[in-house]
Amino acid sequence: MKKNETKTGRTKPVDVRTREQMEDRAFNRMLLWLAATVVVEVVMLLVNRFYVHARVEELSALPALYTILGIAPIVGIVLCALLLFWGFRIRKNDEVPQDGMIQFVLAAAFLCMGIGGYVMRTYGVVGAPVVLGVVPALGVLMLVFYLYQKEFFGCAIAGGLGILGMWIFRTSVRGSTYYGYLVVALVIIALGAVLAVSLKKKNGAIIIKGKEFDLLQPGAAYPAYYLTAVISAVILLAPLALGAAMAYYAIWVMAAWLFILAVYFTSKLM
């Protein structure tokens, strides 16, 4: 057993200097994610301007952009896989220890640009606002991940899936597209609930390859995620019976709930 571990495999509280180093590292990682968010959003704005809302004198460039955006998701997935492989490889390098965060951030950025560009190509003026809204929302999620308790991050994901679903439902992108999104969103929310139940039984810890890692702090606010998961699932299903008007009001309900949670978890930080 290592010197700084207890019998359960959890580490003891770190000293002040180590804690400051961890906070600085987390802050630098957050800045990397925010920088990547800005770059991706700028690229999507350019696609929106020169492809979705091209001017008459720019129409000659549309066939080339159409082809580029068609292969963008393939390129994004390939670059994402290569960067992830590179990141995990240097992370396992004992001679020159690195966390590979730059590679991971770039992998996510290329993947988002590829998928976002393809959505704009496929759905045009309908899909463009969704992409332009989702990208900064992902940046906000990373802020929540680094600044708040991890259970609030889970709540933000579940709530964000609900808001995005209502946005998609209210556009002309319905039918099989929304049903496909609905299935994926409900599965993610359900998996989050299963993970929360498992973490609660083990006081916030998870066992991976025989090692125990703390994902949540003792006394985490599990009911907050359960309530968010139920609310998100209800608002995702309700518009199927009540129509687009329900979807509009559901967006504000979910946003209000997330704001209440933000106030609650902010107060817990003080």
Side-chain angles (χ1 to χ4, degrees):
M1 182 181 298
K2 293 184 179 179
K3 184 177 181 181
N4 63 336
E5 291 185 351
T6 63
K7 292 182 179 180
T8 61
R10 302 189 185 187
T11 57
K12 294 182 179 180
V14 296
D15 57 32
V16 175
R17 180 176 297 179
T18 303
R19 186 178 298 275
E20 290 178 350
Q21 291 175 347
M22 293 171 62
E23 291 176 351
D24 290 340
R25 190 180 300 112
F27 182 75
N28 291 333
R29 291 177 176 177
M30 183 182 67
L31 290 181
L32 280 175
W33 284 108
L34 291 180
T37 301
V38 172
V39 172
V40 174
E41 182 72 359
V42 169
V43 172
M44 294 299 98
L45 286 170
L46 291 174
V47 174
N48 181 63
R49 164 64 184 81
F50 291 102
Y51 181 79
V52 179
H53 295 94
R55 297 171 181 172
V56 175
E57 61 271 20
E58 299 165 347
L59 293 179
S60 60
L62 289 186
L65 290 175
Y66 185 84
T67 302
I68 293 172
L69 295 177
I71 63 174
I74 299 175
V75 175
I77 292 173
V78 171
L79 289 175
C80 177
L82 292 175
L83 286 165
L84 287 176
F85 175 77
W86 184 13
F88 283 116
R89 186 169 184 176
I90 66 174
R91 195 167 189 170
K92 294 180 179 180
N93 188 353
D94 296 329
E95 297 179 359
V96 184
Q98 299 181 51
D99 59 7
M101 185 54 59
I102 294 178
Q103 286 76 13
F104 297 150
V105 172
L106 288 175
F110 280 117
L111 183 63
C112 288
M113 285 189 285
I115 295 176
Y118 184 77
V119 170
M120 285 188 171
R121 171 187 183 266
T122 304
Y123 298 108
V125 294
V126 175
V130 176
V131 174
L132 295 177
V134 167
V135 172
L138 292 176
V140 173
L141 276 179
M142 297 314 300
L143 279 176
V144 172
F145 179 81
Y146 285 106
L147 295 179
Y148 285 88
Q149 300 90 335
K150 297 301 180 286
E151 59 265 37
F152 183 38
F153 177 69
C155 293
I157 292 177
L161 288 172
I163 293 175
L164 179 58
M166 295 304 93
W167 195 351
I168 293 175
F169 186 89
R170 294 190 70 247
T171 65
S172 60
V173 186
R174 298 184 189 174
S176 60
T177 300
Y178 180 73
Y179 286 114
Y181 175 86
L182 177 64
V183 171
V184 173
L186 291 178
V187 168
I188 293 174
I189 293 171
L191 289 176
V194 172
L195 178 61
V197 171
S198 176
L199 289 173
K200 186 175 182 181
K201 291 180 179 179
K202 298 178 181 177
N203 203 23
I206 188 172
I207 299 176
I208 301 177
K209 294 182 178 181
K211 296 182 180 179
E212 195 174 73
F213 300 92
D214 291 332
L215 290 186
L216 299 177
Q217 72 282 1
Y222 296 98
Y225 180 80
Y226 299 146
L227 286 174
T228 305
V230 171
I231 294 173
S232 186
V234 169
I235 68 172
L236 283 169
L237 293 170
L240 295 177
L242 302 178
M246 173 62 188
Y248 173 78
Y249 293 108
I251 291 176
W252 293 103
V253 169
M254 194 75 252
W257 173 249
L258 290 178
F259 177 76
I260 293 172
L261 289 180
V263 174
Y264 170 70
F265 283 104
T266 300
S267 66
K268 290 187 67 175
L269 293 174
M270 298 179 180

